[in-house]
Amino acid sequence: MVCTVNSNNKVSTIRKALKVLGKKNFVFIMHNGSFPSLDNENTGFGTINSTAGRNFIDYAAGLFDAIQMGPAGKTKSSDSSPYTGTIFSNNPLFIDLKQLTTDKWFKILSENTFNDIVTNNPNKNKNKTSYSYITKRQAEALSEAYKNFIKLNNANLMKEFEQYKKDNSVWLDKDSLYEALSIEHGTDFWPKWKSETDKNLFNPKSDKEKIEYAKRIEEVSKQYKNEIDEYKFIQFVLYKQNLETKKYADSKGIKMIADRQVAFSDRDTWAYQSLFLEGWCLGCPPDYFSKDGQAWGFPVIDPDKMFNADGSLGDAGILMKNLYKKMFRENPGGVRIDHIVGLIDPWVYKAGKKPMPEQGAGRLYSSPEHPELKKYAIAKLEDLDNTLTSDNEKRVKSLTHEQIKLYGRLIEKIVIAAAKEEGLTKDSIVCEDLGTLTNPVAAVMKEYELLGMRLTQFTVPTEPEDPYRCKNITEKCWAMIGTHDNQPVNVWAKNMVHTHEGYLHVKNLVEDLFKEEPNKDALIVKMTNDEEFLKETKLVELFACKAENIQIFFTDYFNMTETYNVPGTSGDKNWSLRLPNNFETMQTIDLPTILKKAIIARGSQFANDNKQIIEELDEIQ
């Protein structure tokens, strides 16, 4: 099926079918860099701010309620992962350079520069980003634009820029100073800077250091005045483009959902290091996939800096709340929180060690027996199941309501509070809670009625009560087939046919979706051998389940065969896949057929009650 979602009749019918199935939100997932380009505007990186980005908004309008983006922070030149970006500064690669060549921006970027970038893009004829290439060329182009902006000296634009700098000085001054020091030291990785003073400008240990560091900040600010101002200008341009895109999306009924990663970038770690727990890093405990655990190396916010003794927000708490307020304000569709466990019950390990209990690792708030972490423990010794090891996710066996509130205070006083202050509800918070949850995290999710995720591709077919299985998925959650880390559904189906594991999945799908079929064995035989039938049924499962909120990753919707990111690997293949420029002519999933079968899967009575919508779906296939 070639998608023609801009057909009003078709979209209206699909939306009615989604409503019949109890779906409140149908969300498309695609990271910003994956957006397509016009053929003559492909610089090597996608952005929703481009003409092609707006074309996609038009394409999605009516069918989807929102587009969930990836993290928006500035990434490192040496690492394209959006999940290590900055918390406040946005990614300059998301600036649409083409706009800067137009009258709208007083042509502060020459068409020659823009065309040269497009012409020399090594992936101009591929649906892949050219990360290393565009990182360098985008910086050159934006530097040219800044110089011409200064020469232009347009009174209105300059006034607007000055106001932007003033309004965002709390974070912008630090981030731009880091840019200056990166130039000074020849690297944007601050641990390699030779000057201990420069490493600790915002982490003084004495009054003497405060005075010394203040003088150094003033010195660098004067020496690199133009470079600092250029950094701020780039953020200003991006702010304006983002704002225009948001307004355009709003006019089309499309909301944006942001993505907050658990990590802090090098720039943020340097700027706010006084707020982090010295000598500790965030990671994951040993498990089936990693016997030594996962050593992420991300800093851990100091609990004593998060909240004051009286329960009010400390400096770190204020920082985090300002971050979430900014995200909710800029993204009225809400915020996806990556690794919600890291906010509620983080696994921490000693810097330089492995994230293993025998090397001192443990849950920050759930280790009352730990010689160093016990001071932060919310769980008490009597709350633990002593027959389980310290890395067991079910180790905390009992909690009082007061303890649950303590585990959830960051969620309540920062995340939920920030959403409410920006006019949103807690249902605008999408919690990535995939995998086994610790009991404190599960208790907090339940206490605050947070919406977690149900990933159907993660179903363990041998466990009848698996929470990702169709029959067990409840209304209050976000359901999807796969995330950015999963194989597209058609690849999953291809790998499952003719296998015992595939048979187990098929058996469950038939039990859950074909309850009234008289010859289930024939269905099982067909599905275990027919990858197209298996793929279609897996999609039917997604819409037939009770979840009120559905998300679908762009590779699944457009029948693509490449995986966006493969966890545990690195290199140019990851984070580089883009939606092809000719996406409007691509074959997509057959939504009318899938929704029709999802309605039928609910049972003959439900299907009879909705006979009219089934007939309408038949008509638009």
Side-chain angles (χ1 to χ4, degrees):
M1 160 186 161
V2 174
C3 188
T4 54
V5 296
N6 51 354
S7 164
N8 291 334
N9 179 53
K10 182 173 184 176
V11 170
S12 175
T13 301
I14 288 173
R15 292 301 305 186
K16 282 196 287 184
L18 289 169
K19 185 176 181 179
V20 160
L21 289 164
K23 310 309 176 191
K24 293 183 177 179
N25 290 291
F26 185 31
V27 175
F28 187 86
I29 308 174
M30 185 162 66
H31 290 185
N32 212 331
S34 295
F35 275 81
S37 300
L38 298 185
D39 287 337
N40 60 347
E41 295 182 9
N42 187 357
T43 62
F45 208 80
T47 173
I48 197 172
N49 294 324
S50 66
T51 300
R54 290 196 173 202
N55 289 345
F56 185 82
I57 291 173
D58 293 340
Y59 174 91
L63 177 61
F64 293 99
D65 298 285
I67 299 174
Q68 181 182 294
M69 315 287 280
K74 176 178 170 58
T75 50
K76 290 171 62 67
S77 59
S78 59
D79 186 357
S80 61
S81 171
Y83 288 90
T84 58
T86 49
I87 59 174
F88 287 111
S89 284
N90 286 333
N91 196 334
L93 295 179
F94 298 164
I95 290 176
D96 175 34
L97 294 179
K98 179 64 177 178
Q99 285 186 45
L100 305 187
T101 69
T102 66
D103 290 337
K104 183 178 183 179
W105 278 92
F106 304 97
K107 299 180 179 180
I108 57 175
L109 180 67
S110 71
E111 288 189 5
N112 286 340
T113 297
F114 178 78
N115 291 334
D116 184 67
I117 292 173
V118 171
T119 299
N120 290 290
N121 170 18
N123 286 331
K124 63 182 175 182
N125 297 317
K126 301 177 183 177
N127 59 314
K128 294 281 189 177
T129 62
S130 303
Y131 187 77
S132 298
Y133 169 80
I134 192 54
T135 297
K136 181 175 181 294
R137 296 304 307 271
Q138 189 98 344
E140 294 170 351
L142 293 174
S143 185
E144 176 187 317
Y146 171 71
K147 290 181 176 66
N148 288 330
F149 165 75
I150 295 301
K151 290 178 184 176
L152 176 70
N153 198 26
N154 179 276
N156 290 333
L157 198 57
M158 190 64 75
K159 181 180 179 181
E160 194 176 350
F161 177 41
E162 292 302 320
Q163 187 63 47
Y164 172 80
K165 289 191 288 187
K166 182 179 178 180
D167 292 343
N168 296 278
S169 61
V170 171
W171 61 267
L172 190 56
D173 287 352
K174 289 183 176 181
D175 282 6
S176 57
L177 186 69
Y178 188 93
E179 190 76 3
L181 289 168
S182 296
I183 297 170
E184 169 90 358
H185 293 283
T187 176
D188 61 357
F189 184 50
W190 67 273
K192 288 188 176 181
W193 295 350
K194 294 181 180 179
S195 169
E196 290 300 315
T197 294
D198 289 353
K199 287 180 180 180
N200 292 281
L201 286 180
F202 295 104
N203 189 31
K205 304 292 187 183
S206 65
D207 290 340
K208 181 182 178 182
E209 284 187 349
K210 281 184 182 179
I211 297 171
E212 178 187 343
Y213 292 175
K215 288 181 179 178
R216 176 59 177 160
I217 291 172
E218 184 178 0
E219 176 187 308
V220 175
S221 298
K222 288 180 179 178
Q223 183 179 354
Y224 291 96
K225 181 179 181 299
N226 290 336
E227 289 81 0
I228 288 172
D229 203 53
E230 179 180 319
Y231 184 94
K232 294 179 178 180
F233 170 74
I234 291 169
Q235 290 298 309
F236 168 67
V237 172
L238 188 49
Y239 163 77
K240 283 180 65 66
Q241 289 195 356
N242 285 343
L243 192 60
E244 286 189 357
T245 298
K246 175 182 172 294
K247 288 179 179 178
Y248 185 78
D250 285 347
S251 74
K252 297 291 184 176
I254 293 288
K255 294 180 179 179
M256 299 297 175
I257 298 177
D259 195 345
R260 165 63 189 142
Q261 73 273 24
V262 71
F264 288 86
S265 71
D266 296 334
R267 196 175 299 251
D268 301 317
T269 305
W270 169 82
Y272 306 107
Q273 60 186 292
S274 64
L275 304 180
F276 296 120
L277 200 57
E278 191 172 351
W280 291 90
C281 299
L282 182 69
C284 274
D287 58 18
Y288 175 82
F289 300 101
S290 176
K291 64 181 180 66
D292 293 339
Q294 297 178 40
W296 292 340
F298 304 144
V300 180
I301 289 185
D302 187 338
D304 292 336
K305 304 288 179 66
M306 183 69 74
F307 295 97
N308 298 317
D310 62 359
S312 62
L313 296 183
D315 289 343
I318 292 170
L319 172 75
M320 291 294 287
K321 188 173 181 183
N322 286 339
L323 165 63
Y324 277 101
K325 280 177 67 67
K326 180 177 184 285
M327 296 186 76
F328 284 116
R329 183 166 58 250
E330 295 175 355
N331 300 276
V335 175
R336 171 190 184 271
I337 300 177
D338 191 56
H339 193 61
I340 192 75
V341 176
L343 289 186
I344 301 171
D345 197 14
W347 181 264
V348 300
Y349 65 97
K350 292 184 177 181
K353 301 287 186 179
K354 291 182 178 180
M356 304 168 69
E358 52 267 40
Q359 294 196 22
R363 291 275 171 204
L364 182 59
Y365 300 122
S366 302
S367 302
E369 81 292 4
H370 195 289
E372 295 172 70
L373 298 179
K374 63 182 179 182
K375 63 183 288 190
Y376 306 115
I378 297 172
K380 299 177 181 178
L381 285 170
E382 56 266 31
D383 299 320
L384 306 182
D385 183 342
N386 292 319
T387 66
L388 301 175
T389 59
S390 61
D391 58 330
N392 190 290
E393 305 294 50
K394 300 302 180 182
R395 181 172 179 247
V396 179
K397 63 181 180 180
S398 62
L399 290 171
T400 65
H401 187 256
E402 182 183 4
Q403 286 174 308
I404 293 171
K405 297 289 281 187
L406 284 172
Y407 272 106
R409 61 182 179 170
L410 189 154
I411 298 297
E412 178 183 4
K413 296 184 177 183
I414 293 177
V415 182
I416 294 176
K420 288 182 176 179
E421 288 175 21
E422 296 302 328
L424 302 176
T425 69
K426 62 185 176 185
D427 283 352
S428 64
I429 304 165
V430 182
C431 300
E432 190 276 287
D433 60 342
L434 301 174
T436 303
L437 299 182
T438 69
N439 286 333
V441 175
V444 169
M445 295 282 291
K446 182 179 180 181
E447 171 72 19
Y448 295 99
E449 299 179 323
L450 298 176
L451 302 184
M453 294 182 177
R454 297 296 177 264
L455 198 72
T456 62
Q457 201 178 125
F458 276 2
T459 303
V460 179
T462 55
E463 297 182 11
E465 302 308 313
D466 186 273
Y468 301 142
R469 181 173 168 176
C470 180
K471 70 172 186 176
N472 301 321
I473 295 176
T474 58
E475 289 90 346
K476 298 298 183 181
C477 69
W478 289 85
M480 66 198 75
I481 291 178
T483 69
H484 55 262
D485 290 335
N486 293 97
Q487 295 175 330
V489 63
N490 52 5
V491 177
W492 176 87
K494 183 176 182 178
N495 291 336
M496 284 295 159
V497 293
H498 311 303
T499 69
H500 180 66
E501 183 184 0
Y503 162 77
L504 295 175
H505 281 284
V506 167
K507 187 171 177 291
N508 288 351
L509 287 169
V510 170
E511 287 179 3
D512 292 355
L513 303 174
F514 298 91
K515 301 183 189 71
E516 299 175 7
E517 288 292 328
N519 194 349
K520 292 184 176 62
D521 288 343
L523 277 172
I524 291 172
V525 171
K526 176 175 171 56
M527 207 181 302
T528 52
N529 291 283
D530 186 338
E531 64 186 71
E532 282 299 316
F533 186 33
L534 176 55
K535 181 193 81 169
E536 180 187 82
T537 307
K538 196 67 176 171
L539 286 159
V540 170
E541 175 190 38
L542 177 66
F543 292 93
C545 78
K546 293 180 180 178
E548 294 177 343
N549 307 291
I550 301 296
Q551 293 181 318
I552 190 161
F553 197 61
F554 79 101
T555 56
D556 285 330
Y557 186 76
F558 281 98
N559 283 314
M560 299 175 75
T561 58
E562 294 178 80
T563 301
Y564 182 59
N565 176 61
V566 180
T569 67
S570 59
D572 291 342
K573 287 186 177 181
N574 287 338
W575 316 109
S576 65
L577 189 64
R578 297 178 66 182
L579 186 61
N581 295 351
N582 66 338
F583 69 91
E584 290 181 274
T585 66
M586 290 175 66
Q587 185 183 61
T588 68
I589 61 173
D590 186 354
L591 265 180
T593 297
I594 290 164
L595 294 172
K596 170 189 169 181
K597 292 190 173 185
I599 292 171
I600 293 171
R602 291 278 185 91
S604 56
Q605 184 61 53
F606 188 82
N608 286 333
D609 292 343
N610 294 285
K611 186 177 179 180
Q612 182 177 346
I613 189 65
I614 289 176
E615 291 174 351
E616 290 180 29
L617 289 167
D618 276 333
E619 290 176 5
I620 63 172
Q621 287 181 36

